[in-house]
Amino acid sequence: SSLGELTELSQSRDSMARRVSGLVEGGGTRLFDAVQFAYDDLQQKGDPDHIRAIVVLSDGMDTESSQTLDKTLSLLNGGSEEGGNSIKLFTISYGEDADQDTLSSLSDITGASMFKADPKTIDEIYKQIATFF
């Protein structure tokens, strides 16, 4: 699910951290739809002169999307022509049974990275992602 309107991270970092820490899993997963929604939103409203990135925390299993992995990868790959200004999608694989292949393919196609995390390492993962910016 989306955590709010598109804003600069410096303006929303504390609020975002509080909201993420309060998330509880439940229901189905529309991973591909969510990725495409976030990508389209950032493509339309984001400033290409600033860093544009999406961070997805997931087990990588999609149970309810109307989109497919292939269509999502095609959309993400379409932004590669923007070179260094392209949108980066960082994925965080969460859970022992996480589909790391799917999450890696989503990140790799944008030139970003997939990270493996658990409750003990999640803070460190966010710090690693922050080093990209």
Side-chain angles (χ1 to χ4, degrees):
S1 72
S2 174
L3 292 178
E5 292 296 315
L6 182 63
T7 61
E8 289 186 27
L9 183 59
S10 61
Q11 298 173 8
S12 60
R13 184 184 309 266
D14 292 340
S15 172
M16 191 70 63
R18 283 192 304 275
R19 293 182 75 183
V20 168
S21 67
L23 291 176
V24 178
E25 69 175 302
T29 302
R30 295 176 62 191
L31 174 62
F32 307 138
D33 288 352
V35 165
Q36 290 198 31
F37 176 84
Y39 184 88
D40 288 341
D41 194 46
L42 196 50
Q43 187 76 25
Q44 293 170 16
K45 299 176 186 173
D47 182 350
D49 291 332
H50 290 86
I51 295 169
R52 297 179 297 164
I54 301 165
V55 178
V56 173
L57 172 68
S58 177
D59 65 4
M61 296 177 205
D62 189 301
T63 61
E64 295 185 3
S65 282
S66 60
Q67 297 299 322
T68 64
L69 174 60
D70 287 342
K71 286 184 180 179
T72 304
L73 291 173
S74 179
L75 172 73
L76 297 173
N77 192 44
S80 63
E81 63 200 33
E82 296 178 41
N85 290 336
S86 65
I87 295 171
K88 304 297 185 222
L89 174 68
F90 294 90
T91 56
I92 302 172
S93 167
Y94 204 79
E96 290 182 22
D97 297 330
D99 184 345
Q100 294 176 6
D101 290 340
T102 293
L103 294 171
S104 287
S105 65
L106 291 167
S107 287
D108 290 350
I109 205 160
T110 70
S113 300
M114 190 269 304
F115 298 88
K116 299 176 198 172
D118 59 43
K120 296 175 186 170
T121 61
I122 192 69
D123 287 341
E124 186 58 35
I125 298 299
Y126 283 119
K127 289 177 186 173
Q128 287 182 36
I129 291 174
T131 65
F132 284 89
F133 313 114

